[in-house]
Amino acid sequence: MILPNAVPGPYRAPAWLPGGHAQTLYSSLFIRVPPVEYRRERLELDDGDFLDFDWVDGDPGQAVVVLFHGLEGSSASHYAYDLMRRVRQRGWSGVVAHFRGCSGEDNRLPRAYFAGDSVEIGRILRHVKSRHPDAPLHAAGVSLGGNALLRWLGESGAAAQALVERAAAISAPLDLTAAGNALDRGFNRRVYTAHFLATLKQKALKKARQFPGTLDADAIARAASFREFDTLVTARLHGFRDADDYWLRASSRPVLPAIRVPTLIVNARNDPFLPAWALPTAAAVASDVTLEQPETGGHVAFPSGPFPGNIDWMPQRLMQHFDTVQR
């Protein structure tokens, strides 16, 4: 069944849920989104590793939406269920592309995924396009996945038009230095950083056992900040000097002027993960980039409606953006 396209207005948070922390935590922990049934596809890579794709199959010739999830996310993330459900209702095809080690099975190599892995983004997009060569392909990225997608778009410039019709990034940490410093302080460090490190460290310690001499297991076990973890693990596995070098070189903000695909970038100004002062202005991005920076919304949240609320605004806004060029 194809539903009429919902056209959301500018985002405004419900009065009963004020503040960036409340909007972020409530949307993630308490708003329930119905699950989606996927078809799993595994792509074996030339380097000996693999990538897992979770598909919802639509009508032949209709648009395809690929979603790049956030840090430690997956096709089971609430935002993935919500977007893929909308995609299926429209008769489109959709796919959640898992980064390495995020599909429920450990990847095989001494590497993981990171916020600036534009090579991996390009590999994934080429694969998805090969499955639907004649259909419009739209790409969405959430948080870390949004930053990686924007890096690929900026580095590719006009060449990206051969693969992607339209793109969007939600709550992307455009300035990783600002985001990393914000997440390593106070409440953010005790809640969000501690939450992410619980699984990130577990995966890294398994890598240390699997590939002796690659990582310092004792130091990883003691790590209590993103700066420590990214220096000990992310930088070590992916060729950066340390966290500062990684954050500087992987940030998407410097390449936003080079984007040549119509791209929507949505960041709430009360996002706990990225301070508002680090957000770009319209003068700092390409003319093909549309910036939306509502005062409220939290991080990958944007709750709406009467209590107990929903997270429908975000997928509606994405579908509206992608619908503009639907053939």
Side-chain angles (χ1 to χ4, degrees), residues 29-110:
L29 298 175
F30 298 107
I31 293 180
R32 295 291 175 253
V33 178
V36 172
E37 184 177 347
Y38 296 108
R39 172 178 61 84
R40 171 64 58 92
E41 178 195 15
R42 173 160 293 184
L43 175 65
E44 294 288 344
L45 303 176
D46 291 340
D47 63 10
D49 218 337
F50 65 90
L51 293 171
D52 283 336
F53 297 79
D54 280 355
W55 287 89
V56 296
D57 296 311
D59 300 327
Q62 293 297 304
V64 180
V65 175
V66 56
L67 175 65
F68 297 100
H69 61 77
L71 183 65
E72 293 299 89
S74 72
S75 62
S77 296
H78 63 287
Y79 53 81
Y81 280 153
D82 216 18
L83 179 59
M84 290 298 117
R85 181 165 53 89
R86 299 273 172 174
V87 167
R88 172 176 283 169
Q89 288 172 342
R90 293 295 306 281
W92 295 7
S93 292
V95 60
V96 181
H98 290 99
F99 293 120
R100 303 190 196 207
C102 293
S103 64
E105 182 177 335
D106 296 335
N107 67 306
R108 303 170 185 147
L109 300 181

Side-chain angles (χ1 to χ4, degrees), residues 267-284:
N267 292 92
R269 297 184 69 83
N270 70 347
D271 185 340
F273 290 28
L274 184 67
W277 59 259
L279 296 175
T281 64

Side-chain angles (χ1 to χ4, degrees), residues 123-203:
R123 179 183 292 115
I124 289 168
L125 289 171
R126 288 191 296 272
H127 174 71
V128 174
K129 188 65 175 178
S130 74
R131 291 292 188 257
H132 295 268
D134 299 322
L137 174 60
H138 307 307
V142 171
S143 194
L144 175 146
N147 187 84
L149 173 60
L150 293 172
R151 280 295 313 187
W152 176 82
L153 288 166
E155 291 173 9
S156 300
Q161 298 169 3
L163 286 176
V164 175
E165 297 265 356
R166 289 204 156 211
I170 303 294
S171 300
L174 309 172
D175 181 333
L176 290 170
T177 300
N181 289 334
L183 284 166
D184 279 347
R185 297 191 186 110
F187 180 88
N188 285 358
R189 178 168 174 163
R190 294 191 300 272
V191 177
Y192 306 116
T193 299
H195 168 74
F196 286 123
L197 288 182
T199 54
L200 287 169
K201 288 168 62 174
Q202 184 180 53
K203 289 179 179 179

